[in-house]
Amino acid sequence: MSTAEVSTRRRGRPRATDSAETRRTILDVARRLFAERGYGGVTNKDLAAEAGLTSGALYHYVESKLDLYCAVYEDMQEKIYERFQKAEASEQTFIGKLEAVLEEAHDLNHEDPSLARFAGIFRSVALRHPDVRKRLGPSNSVGDRFFLNMVECGIRTGEIAVEDQDLVREFVMLILVGLTEGVSEDPPRHRRAVDSIIAVLHNRLVRPLPPDPSTRRL
Amino acid sequence: MSTAEVSTRRRGRPRATDSAETRRTILDVARRLFAERGYGGVTNKDLAAEAGLTSGALYHYVESKLDLYCAVYEDMQEKIYERFQKAEASEQTFIGKLEAVLEEAHDLNHEDPSLARFAGIFRSVALRHPDVRKRLGPSNSVGDRFFLNMVECGIRTGEIAVEDQDLVREFVMLILVGLTEGVSEDPPRHRRAVDSIIAVLHNRLVRPLPPDPSTRRL
Amino acid sequence: MSTAEVSTRRRGRPRATDSAETRRTILDVARRLFAERGYGGVTNKDLAAEAGLTSGALYHYVESKLDLYCAVYEDMQEKIYERFQKAEASEQTFIGKLEAVLEEAHDLNHEDPSLARFAGIFRSVALRHPDVRKRLGPSNSVGDRFFLNMVECGIRTGEIAVEDQDLVREFVMLILVGLTEGVSEDPPRHRRAVDSIIAVLHNRLVRPLPPDPSTRRL
Amino acid sequence: MSTAEVSTRRRGRPRATDSAETRRTILDVARRLFAERGYGGVTNKDLAAEAGLTSGALYHYVESKLDLYCAVYEDMQEKIYERFQKAEASEQTFIGKLEAVLEEAHDLNHEDPSLARFAGIFRSVALRHPDVRKRLGPSNSVGDRFFLNMVECGIRTGEIAVEDQDLVREFVMLILVGLTEGVSEDPPRHRRAVDSIIAVLHNRLVRPLPPDPSTRRL
DNA sequence: AATGAATGAGACTTCATTCAT
DNA sequence: CATGAATGAAGTCTCATTCAT
């Protein structure tokens, strides 16, 4: 209503801005918002406002909202797997590697919760946005290969029987989905979840009872 | 309009003369569509068309789209936990109960994939619709109590150490999230995932190596 | 600013409207506006306002602005060629038919100037809107056939030499383009233009001089 | 930036060091693009890119897009009528002049199709941009005078009856509109169209039948 | 109870224009 | 002179919701 709005910006080029920096900001803002509210729950206006721009200006950096989403996805994949790879390389056994990766996931989730949240929500976004699927394809090749390698290591060390390898891979992917989609927004629960998985792997969490006829159903 | 309605039914889909029946149809249609395309991906018109009405008529049965979504959620919770409870009651040990529940989850997923898919997607919908959260509250009270009971059983039987109960609960919820969000749309993977969890619980999947200095990094 | 705007319409269904009538109104309004301002010069809002609707409501009748444009085009083609055909059929000679068609064009232009104006502008719209071209294809088959028939009649009557038929067709199309694009918005000029064409055809307008050396360039 | 610019030209397009030269480039580029895609179909960015600048730099040479459009128009008028005048001056009779002008139009269309195309499209652009109309006034004063002169010549030579002069002028303008708007993008048709006009003027194209009662409808 | 025309808010996107650098 | 980041207005289109019939 007044002419002296809080953040009226001039018309032309702003003072001292760095294009690359703005793009980085947009990507980070987008990851956070998409992580919090999914794809359809974020408008261009929201994105622009949080990045300190108008919605039209977004189009200097991305071709479309979809384009931005995909860019965020790729950025995230890169960040996550770089860290995962480092963690994985630091250990020699399957269990060691898996624990290291889980700990790394926990650290990552602590450092920047939006990464895991985005990853967690991504699956359901892709599921119902054909455009996203089309653009990113099967795409998880990076992740697939990563876990494949880990499992192969387990086979070499004798931790995993050859005939179990598919089950193991499925299990690993399952718990990672559970971590990213289920508890990434609650750090203490995330910590507990990681610990529970490690405990299970070491057979410390649940002790199957010996088959005792008196406790069986009659 | 016709007077010849008493004795003979017309061919084709009968008019849903019964209000409750129509509501049931709407709920089922809505679960399927929401499961497939998420909240924003389904329009009232889609919903109405699949239920054999027009979009205006929807409002005789639900107050709003959001209202419908919540109703579907509650309906789903009810359906799932009714089945889970039956499964759980059929076994006496924690592991027995958990296995029974996982098998039930698998059967459910087979019978009506939309249930699990809806559940899987629900989290991200709730995440970006404060109204949904408000309406459904902390919501998981039913599920929480359910798993609490299971874990308490495990403590009684000695399968679970008292101090591990939180870890176990976290683990159970984690794998259920993983199952619903990760693999519910792919039956063979779902099967494999269930098997992998059971194998892990029986300590059959991964064998930790004895600490062998020769395999450690120097 | 006041709550009692001039034409506030209620929210729901309006009193007594006829869907077909509204569609007809939209088509007529669209033809007029497109004729006056071309394709890009007309906004959905303009169209809706002139038809007494909001821009969203347009989409009950057409799928898109392009769709509307094409519908107007087809409507126009139909209207024009129906009249042209009647006029053409009333005469037996090429010149007779052509004069009848020109007079009909004049009458049409008088009755509803938007028809000819739309037709006149159509060419340039199609030229630079690939979508329009794609939708309407070569399309002028109706018109082409129409003039082809007229020329064939002239050949039969001996008015036109067989080897001149292409020239004649080109000439006929040329003058029709000239009439629709050049003078359709100015009735007296349109009248004069029609008269001039008829006079030319009867060799009454310009008398070539006999080749007189004294008037030649030296 | 380089000091080695004095003596040697770099390969490729030289930087348009001269302001006037750049303006000339912009005008030519603009005519071509406007001719191909109309006013709204061309963005300042397109224009700038094709002229080897950025969109901001355009504003050093023109005040606005509209301004540029008008400048192109004036430039085109000048170019066309300069050529037409030369052609017209080379003949002494009305028909001779008209033929010469038509041939010149054909040559022009061959040399630089964008001229005629621009002229052809201009009408519809002006139609929906009141600003253009305002800036360019009744505009055709140049053309009007030009054709007026030609017709007066025809009166002097006796080719045209005084009372027919308006009709003749209308006819000439009609065929020029037809040529520019109808067939300027199709050289063979353009050729044919020119030939057909010349044939008509020489009364060689269509032979009116003598009023023969036997061919009349009864 | 049902229809479907209509609203109105808001989404994504484009683009002429401005102006700090 | 030139760049290019940014604005802001406008455009096309979608959709939940309302309501006369």
Side-chain angles (χ1 to χ4, degrees):
Chain A
M1 283 162 189
S2 100
T3 55
E5 287 296 342
V6 177
S7 81
T8 24
R9 204 198 269 260
R10 290 279 187 62
R11 205 70 185 309
R13 182 174 210 172
R15 267 139 298 171
T17 47
D18 180 10
S19 183
E21 190 184 323
T22 305
R23 196 186 146 86
R24 190 64 258 168
T25 304
I26 290 173
L27 239 48
D28 289 339
V29 160
R31 187 180 53 247
R32 183 161 56 76
L33 293 191
F34 284 138
E36 281 168 12
R37 322 209 283 255
Y39 186 75
V42 179
T43 71
N44 281 346
K45 235 180 179 167
D46 296 339
L47 286 164
E50 296 258 348
L53 302 156
T54 58
S55 67
L58 282 181
Y59 289 80
H60 281 286
Y61 299 95
V62 292
E63 276 177 11
S64 66
K65 190 186 173 189
L66 185 64
D67 189 55
L68 174 56
Y69 190 84
C70 294
V72 170
Y73 174 76
E74 278 152 10
D75 186 53
M76 171 215 74
Q77 285 272 84
E78 209 176 301
K79 282 188 167 162
I80 287 188
Y81 281 106
E82 191 191 307
R83 295 277 295 259
F84 276 15
Q85 241 136 23
K86 231 177 254 171
E88 184 260 342
S90 73
E91 293 289 333
Q92 252 54 44
T93 65
F94 171 76
I95 292 212
K97 284 171 188 294
L98 184 52
E99 284 183 28
V101 166
L102 290 175
E103 290 296 342
E104 196 69 34
H106 184 65
D107 290 350
L108 261 171
N109 196 45
H110 182 75
E111 290 167 29
D112 182 353
S114 75
L115 269 175
R117 280 184 217 183
F118 182 91
I121 254 186
F122 170 76
R123 197 176 319 268
S124 48
V125 168
L127 207 56
R128 55 179 178 291
H129 286 273
D131 302 342
V132 173
R133 274 207 305 283
K134 214 165 294 164
R135 278 272 309 254
L136 297 177
S139 90
N140 250 26
S141 47
V142 180
D144 287 354
R145 183 124 11 102
F146 180 78
F147 293 115
L148 191 59
N149 286 343
M150 272 179 58
V151 171
E152 276 171 358
C153 162
I155 293 174
R156 279 196 306 275
T157 62
E159 293 167 282
I160 298 169
V162 174
E163 66 270 22
D164 285 342
Q165 61 179 315
D166 286 348
L167 285 187
V168 175
R169 266 171 56 212
E170 204 64 74
F171 181 75
V172 171
M173 290 167 86
L174 182 88
I175 59 181
L176 278 168
V177 169
L179 281 176
T180 48
E181 301 215 30
V183 295
S184 62
E185 56 280 333
D186 186 339
R189 282 190 62 194
H190 195 275
R191 180 69 258 170
R192 245 182 355 251
V194 167
D195 289 342
S196 78
I197 297 166
I198 294 178
V200 160
L201 289 172
H202 285 282
N203 198 28
R204 285 195 313 252
L205 200 60
V206 181
R207 276 171 300 267
L209 296 177
D212 178 348
S214 74
T215 63
R216 310 292 309 205
R217 196 148 50 120
L218 48 145
Chain B
M1 275 174 184
S2 144
T3 57
E5 229 173 34
V6 179
S7 60
T8 63
R9 273 260 199 195
R10 296 272 183 60
R11 276 166 307 150
R13 201 177 142 294
R15 285 193 286 136
T17 36
D18 190 86
S19 179
E21 188 184 327
T22 304
R23 193 182 148 87
R24 186 66 257 164
T25 303
I26 291 173
L27 241 48
D28 289 339
V29 160
R31 186 180 55 247
R32 182 162 56 77
L33 293 190
F34 284 140
E36 282 168 12
R37 318 208 287 254
Y39 186 76
V42 178
T43 70
N44 280 350
K45 234 178 183 164
D46 295 340
L47 247 12
E50 295 256 350
L53 315 134
T54 55
S55 64
L58 228 50
Y59 286 80
H60 286 287
Y61 300 95
V62 293
E63 274 178 16
S64 70
K65 192 185 174 189
L66 209 54
D67 184 59
L68 173 57
Y69 191 84
C70 294
V72 170
Y73 175 74
E74 279 154 4
D75 184 54
M76 170 213 73
Q77 285 273 79
E78 209 175 302
K79 281 190 165 161
I80 287 186
Y81 282 104
E82 192 192 306
R83 294 278 294 263
F84 276 14
Q85 241 136 23
K86 233 177 251 170
E88 183 261 341
S90 73
E91 292 288 335
Q92 253 53 46
T93 64
F94 170 76
I95 290 211
K97 284 172 189 290
L98 183 52
E99 285 184 26
V101 165
L102 291 175
E103 291 296 341
E104 196 68 33
H106 186 64
D107 290 351
L108 261 171
N109 196 44
H110 183 75
E111 290 167 28
D112 183 354
S114 75
L115 273 173
R117 280 185 215 184
F118 181 91
I121 261 180
F122 169 75
R123 199 176 316 269
S124 58
V125 171
L127 218 50
R128 63 173 171 286
H129 287 276
D131 305 347
V132 173
R133 280 205 302 282
K134 217 166 292 165
R135 279 267 313 254
L136 299 177
S139 89
N140 254 27
S141 46
V142 182
D144 286 354
R145 184 121 13 96
F146 179 77
F147 294 115
L148 193 56
N149 287 343
M150 272 178 58
V151 171
E152 277 170 358
C153 162
I155 295 176
R156 279 196 307 276
T157 64
E159 292 168 283
I160 298 168
V162 175
E163 66 271 23
D164 285 342
Q165 62 177 314
D166 287 349
L167 286 187
V168 175
R169 266 173 55 214
E170 204 62 73
F171 182 76
V172 171
M173 292 167 81
L174 181 87
I175 61 182
L176 279 167
V177 168
L179 281 176
T180 48
E181 302 215 28
V183 295
S184 62
E185 58 280 335
D186 186 340
R189 283 189 62 193
H190 195 274
R191 178 71 258 169
R192 226 157 41 227
V194 167
D195 289 341
S196 78
I197 298 165
I198 294 178
V200 160
L201 289 171
H202 285 282
N203 198 26
R204 285 195 314 251
L205 201 58
V206 181
R207 278 172 298 268
L209 296 178
D212 178 347
S214 76
T215 64
R216 313 288 312 201
R217 209 156 31 131
L218 51 145
Chain C
M1 279 167 186
S2 104
T3 56
E5 286 296 342
V6 177
S7 80
T8 22
R9 203 197 270 261
R10 289 279 187 62
R11 205 70 185 308
R13 183 174 208 170
R15 270 139 295 172
T17 47
D18 180 8
S19 183
E21 191 184 320
T22 305
R23 195 186 145 85
R24 190 63 258 165
T25 304
I26 290 173
L27 238 47
D28 290 339
V29 160
R31 186 180 54 249
R32 183 162 54 75
L33 294 190
F34 284 138
E36 282 168 11
R37 322 209 282 257
Y39 186 75
V42 179
T43 71
N44 282 345
K45 235 179 181 168
D46 296 339
L47 287 165
E50 295 259 348
L53 302 156
T54 58
S55 67
L58 281 181
Y59 289 80
H60 281 285
Y61 299 94
V62 292
E63 275 178 12
S64 66
K65 191 186 171 188
L66 185 64
D67 188 56
L68 174 56
Y69 189 84
C70 294
V72 170
Y73 175 76
E74 277 151 10
D75 186 53
M76 171 215 73
Q77 284 272 82
E78 210 176 302
K79 282 187 166 163
I80 287 188
Y81 281 104
E82 192 192 306
R83 295 278 293 261
F84 276 14
Q85 241 136 22
K86 231 177 255 171
E88 183 260 342
S90 73
E91 292 289 334
Q92 252 51 43
T93 63
F94 170 76
I95 292 212
K97 285 172 188 291
L98 184 53
E99 285 184 27
V101 165
L102 290 175
E103 290 297 341
E104 196 69 35
H106 185 64
D107 290 351
L108 261 171
N109 197 43
H110 183 75
E111 290 166 29
D112 182 352
S114 74
L115 270 175
R117 278 184 218 185
F118 182 90
I121 255 187
F122 170 75
R123 198 177 318 270
S124 50
V125 168
L127 207 57
R128 55 178 178 288
H129 286 272
D131 302 342
V132 172
R133 274 206 306 281
K134 215 165 294 165
R135 277 273 309 255
L136 297 177
S139 92
N140 249 27
S141 46
V142 181
D144 286 353
R145 183 122 13 101
F146 180 77
F147 293 115
L148 192 57
N149 286 342
M150 273 179 57
V151 171
E152 278 170 357
C153 162
I155 293 174
R156 280 196 305 278
T157 63
E159 293 167 283
I160 298 169
V162 175
E163 66 271 22
D164 284 343
Q165 62 179 315
D166 287 347
L167 285 187
V168 176
R169 266 172 56 213
E170 204 64 74
F171 182 75
V172 171
M173 290 167 84
L174 183 88
I175 60 181
L176 279 168
V177 169
L179 281 177
T180 48
E181 301 214 30
V183 294
S184 62
E185 57 280 334
D186 186 339
R189 284 189 62 193
H190 195 274
R191 179 70 259 169
R192 246 186 349 255
V194 167
D195 289 342
S196 78
I197 297 165
I198 294 176
V200 161
L201 289 172
H202 286 282
N203 199 25
R204 286 196 312 253
L205 200 58
V206 181
R207 278 172 298 270
L209 295 178
D212 178 346
S214 76
T215 65
R216 309 293 308 203
R217 195 148 47 121
L218 50 142
Chain D
M1 277 172 187
S2 140
T3 57
E5 229 173 31
V6 179
S7 59
T8 64
R9 273 262 198 194
R10 296 271 183 62
R11 276 167 306 149
R13 202 177 141 291
R15 285 192 286 136
T17 35
D18 191 84
S19 180
E21 188 183 329
T22 304
R23 193 182 149 89
R24 188 64 257 164
T25 304
I26 291 173
L27 241 47
D28 289 337
V29 160
R31 186 180 54 248
R32 183 163 54 76
L33 294 190
F34 284 140
E36 283 168 11
R37 319 209 287 254
Y39 185 76
V42 179
T43 70
N44 280 350
K45 235 178 181 163
D46 296 338
L47 245 15
E50 295 255 352
L53 316 132
T54 56
S55 64
L58 229 48
Y59 286 79
H60 286 289
Y61 300 94
V62 294
E63 273 178 17
S64 68
K65 192 185 173 187
L66 209 54
D67 184 59
L68 173 56
Y69 191 84
C70 294
V72 169
Y73 175 75
E74 279 154 4
D75 184 54
M76 171 214 72
Q77 286 274 80
E78 209 175 300
K79 280 190 167 163
I80 287 187
Y81 282 106
E82 191 191 307
R83 295 278 294 260
F84 277 13
Q85 241 136 22
K86 233 177 255 173
E88 183 259 342
S90 72
E91 293 288 335
Q92 254 52 46
T93 64
F94 170 75
I95 291 211
K97 286 173 188 289
L98 183 51
E99 284 183 28
V101 166
L102 291 175
E103 291 297 341
E104 196 68 34
H106 185 65
D107 290 350
L108 260 172
N109 196 44
H110 182 77
E111 290 166 30
D112 182 354
S114 75
L115 272 173
R117 280 185 215 184
F118 182 91
I121 261 180
F122 169 76
R123 200 175 317 267
S124 59
V125 170
L127 217 49
R128 63 176 172 284
H129 288 276
D131 305 347
V132 172
R133 279 205 303 283
K134 217 164 294 164
R135 279 266 315 250
L136 298 176
S139 86
N140 255 27
S141 45
V142 181
D144 286 355
R145 183 122 13 98
F146 180 77
F147 294 115
L148 193 57
N149 287 342
M150 272 177 59
V151 171
E152 278 170 357
C153 162
I155 295 175
R156 278 196 307 277
T157 62
E159 295 165 282
I160 299 168
V162 174
E163 65 271 24
D164 286 341
Q165 62 178 314
D166 287 347
L167 286 187
V168 175
R169 265 173 55 216
E170 205 63 75
F171 182 75
V172 172
M173 291 166 83
L174 182 87
I175 60 181
L176 278 168
V177 169
L179 281 176
T180 47
E181 302 216 27
V183 295
S184 62
E185 58 280 335
D186 186 340
R189 284 190 62 195
H190 195 274
R191 180 69 258 169
R192 228 160 35 231
V194 167
D195 288 342
S196 78
I197 298 165
I198 294 177
V200 160
L201 289 172
H202 286 280
N203 199 27
R204 285 194 314 252
L205 201 58
V206 181
R207 279 172 295 269
L209 296 177
D212 178 348
S214 75
T215 65
R216 310 293 308 205
R217 204 150 42 128
L218 50 147

